[in-house]
Amino acid sequence: MAQTDSKVLVLGALAGVAGISLAVVCYRGLRSKRRVSWPGYYQNGTNDPGSGLMLVDGPVLPRGQAEVLERLEALIQCVSELKEEMKALKTALPALPDQVREELKGHSEARRVGAQHRTAAARRKRAAGAASSPEGQSSEDAESEGGYMTALTDSEDEEQSDEEQTPDKLSILLDRIDRLRQGGESDKRESLSVLLEQRDEFGQNSEFLWRLTRAYCDVHDVSTTLEEKKTHAENGKAVGEEAITVNPKCAESHQWYAIMCGIMAEYDSIQNKIKNGYIFKDHLDKAIELKPQDPLSYYLLGRWCYAVAQLSWIERKVAATLFGEPPSATVEDALKNFLKVEEIHPAYSKLNYVFLAKCYKALGQSEKARKMCEAASTMNTVSKEDEEAQKELDLLFPTV
């Protein structure tokens, strides 16, 4: 509640009290004039806080007049008590909104829910009181309760704003991370550093975790030493697995976990390499199921199919011995996935054109293979992936 509203409320209440006080003064003046004709009563001159009137021996008043005096005496007592209450209200009310806000800000989420329930109950009480106020509730009480409710509602609005700040803060962070990823090596390292600093706060959010997995992958690619690369690959795979656990329905979590499994194949034993190959395929399939229009997943699946199609006889036997059934895929499967990439996102990447050319060459379609090489040549070399594509293109182009 604003300070101005508090003052208006107090002044209104005091005006009501002043009116009642004026009525009492008038009553006392009238009573003093009529006291001579009421011999059975006189004014109590002591400091007794009780009744201001005392019954003495004398003629008995008519019954109707006695009842009126009793009611007026009760009214005087109520007004006296009301004055004291209004003094206390005048002192406490200006600080009430701030006290309510401070108390509510310190509550936990569970207490916030409790406050909301209490607010609903208070509103129902207020509504019931408003319905009965003409008979059983004074205007001062109704206004005071209304002022409290306004202050409580304002406090709850602030709480809701605080609760909305967390997702807003996360969105700002994720936007920053996505922008940093478009930069160079220093930006990628900064991205990983920023994410690690915020992990305690957002570590249970899948959108945060799959970006952390991606950041480990990016820094792995720009690292120079084998030890550093392996460390980032291991950490990235662990975070990717955590992201899937937090939200199994997040396509990007499955996608980047698959990528980290593929990277870890470079540092594992033969058995683990083959195992990671199966995991890679399973999670790519899941990513495509959850997000069927993501070209990256089809590109990665095309690379997997192409690699499996190139496995030697001995490699297939090893896989069959270790896992009972070797992975199965053909060049046609790979081509289908690379073409799907172009369908979703034309000119998706230089490497996608290169692998299209490889597939067409393996299938004996030289003219199509040459067209893909020409398309790849028109694309600029920007990233390390583009540099890899250009090296393969330089070897492939003369042979098609």
Side-chain angles (χ1 to χ4, degrees):
M1 179 191 298
Q3 189 71 14
T4 302
D5 296 335
S6 299
K7 291 180 178 178
V8 171
L9 175 60
V10 173
L11 291 175
L14 292 177
V17 174
I20 297 173
S21 300
L22 181 59
V24 172
V25 170
C26 292
Y27 156 72
R28 284 177 172 170
L30 180 62
R31 185 185 62 179
S32 65
K33 292 180 181 180
R34 296 184 178 179
R35 187 169 50 191
V36 176
S37 63
W38 294 349
Y41 290 84
Y42 77 94
Q43 182 70 26
N44 184 358
T46 67
N47 293 326
D48 184 4
S51 172
L53 298 174
M54 180 177 292
L55 181 64
V56 298
D57 293 334
V60 178
L61 290 174
R63 181 175 180 81
Q65 293 180 0
E67 291 178 355
V68 170
L69 287 176
E70 288 176 359
R71 291 181 181 181
L72 288 175
E73 181 66 20
L75 176 61
I76 292 171
Q77 183 68 24
C78 290
V79 169
S80 177
E81 294 175 357
L82 181 59
K83 282 183 178 180
E84 296 300 322
E85 291 179 2
M86 291 306 300
K87 287 180 182 179
L89 177 63
K90 181 180 178 181
T91 302
L93 190 58
L96 181 59
D98 293 335
Q99 293 174 358
V100 173
R101 289 189 180 95
E102 290 300 323
E103 180 181 354
L104 292 176
K105 284 181 180 179
H107 286 350
S108 63
E109 184 65 27
R111 292 188 178 182
R112 288 179 189 159
V113 175
Q116 292 172 358
H117 289 314
R118 290 194 299 273
T119 301
R123 285 175 178 164
R124 290 193 296 271
K125 180 180 178 182
R126 183 186 176 192
S132 61
S133 60
E135 298 179 3
Q137 185 181 33
S138 69
S139 61
E140 291 84 1
D141 290 339
E143 288 180 6
S144 298
E145 185 176 310
Y148 174 76
M149 290 304 303
T150 303
L152 187 56
T153 302
D154 291 342
S155 300
E156 287 179 348
D157 290 341
E158 285 191 4
E159 285 179 8
Q160 292 175 359
S161 298
D162 291 341
E163 291 173 358
E164 291 172 357
Q165 286 178 2
T166 298
D168 288 344
K169 182 178 179 182
L170 178 59
S171 298
I172 292 171
L173 172 64
L174 298 183
D175 288 342
R176 178 188 177 190
I177 295 303
D178 291 341
R179 288 195 302 271
L180 284 173
R181 188 171 188 262
Q182 305 304 316
E185 177 179 341
S186 61
D187 290 327
K188 289 180 171 60
R189 291 186 181 276
E190 180 183 353
S191 174
L192 178 59
S193 177
V194 170
L195 287 169
L196 290 175
E197 289 174 359
Q198 299 296 323
R199 186 171 184 181
D200 288 343
E201 183 172 358
F202 301 112
Q204 293 302 310
N205 184 284
S206 60
E207 293 291 322
F208 175 89
L209 289 173
W210 74 253
R211 283 176 172 83
L212 179 55
T213 307
R214 183 183 68 181
Y216 273 120
C217 176
D218 291 338
V219 176
H220 165 274
D221 292 343
V222 300
S223 298
T224 55
T225 67
L226 180 63
E227 181 179 357
E228 186 181 8
K229 282 180 173 290
K230 185 177 181 180
T231 298
H232 289 312
E234 291 173 344
N235 291 337
K237 183 181 178 183
V239 173
E241 189 171 3
E242 184 180 349
I244 293 169
T245 303
V246 168
N247 183 7
K249 298 297 184 181
C250 179
E252 288 82 3
S253 295
H254 288 280
Q255 184 184 82
W256 285 98
Y257 178 60
I259 292 172
M260 295 311 301
C261 287
I263 291 175
M264 276 302 299
E266 302 176 22
Y267 310 103
D268 274 338
S269 62
I270 296 295
Q271 180 176 351
N272 285 336
K273 283 183 179 181
I274 299 173
K275 179 180 178 180
N276 282 327
Y278 284 104
I279 297 174
F280 180 93
K281 174 65 163 51
D282 289 344
H283 286 281
L284 274 183
D285 288 342
K286 187 64 176 178
I288 291 173
E289 176 187 339
L290 293 170
K291 194 173 182 179
Q293 294 302 308
D294 189 339
L296 177 57
S297 293
Y298 290 100
Y299 168 74
L300 294 170
L301 187 55
R303 291 285 300 263
W304 183 87
C305 291
Y306 187 84
V308 169
Q310 306 303 311
L311 288 176
S312 64
W313 177 84
I314 187 64
E315 288 171 328
R316 292 179 186 276
K317 285 295 183 182
V318 170
T321 301
L322 293 174
F323 299 100
E325 182 178 351
S328 176
T330 64
V331 174
E332 287 85 354
D333 295 330
L335 178 62
K336 179 180 176 181
N337 284 288
F338 292 130
L339 289 174
K340 183 67 174 180
V341 173
E342 285 300 303
E343 175 188 329
I344 298 173
H345 191 307
Y348 176 72
S349 72
K350 199 179 187 77
L351 260 178
N352 195 64
Y353 278 136
V354 169
F355 275 95
L356 279 168
K358 287 184 174 184
C359 289
Y360 281 129
K361 180 183 177 183
L363 296 172
Q365 303 179 35
S366 300
E367 185 62 28
K368 290 184 178 181
R370 176 168 289 277
K371 286 183 179 180
M372 293 299 105
C373 287
E374 291 172 353
S377 299
T378 62
M379 299 187 70
N380 295 328
T381 301
V382 179
S383 63
K384 285 195 172 184
E385 185 182 73
D386 294 334
E387 293 175 1
E388 176 190 343
Q390 187 60 49
K391 290 177 182 179
E392 295 203 34
L393 185 62
D394 293 340
L395 297 174
L396 181 62
F397 212 160
T399 63
V400 296

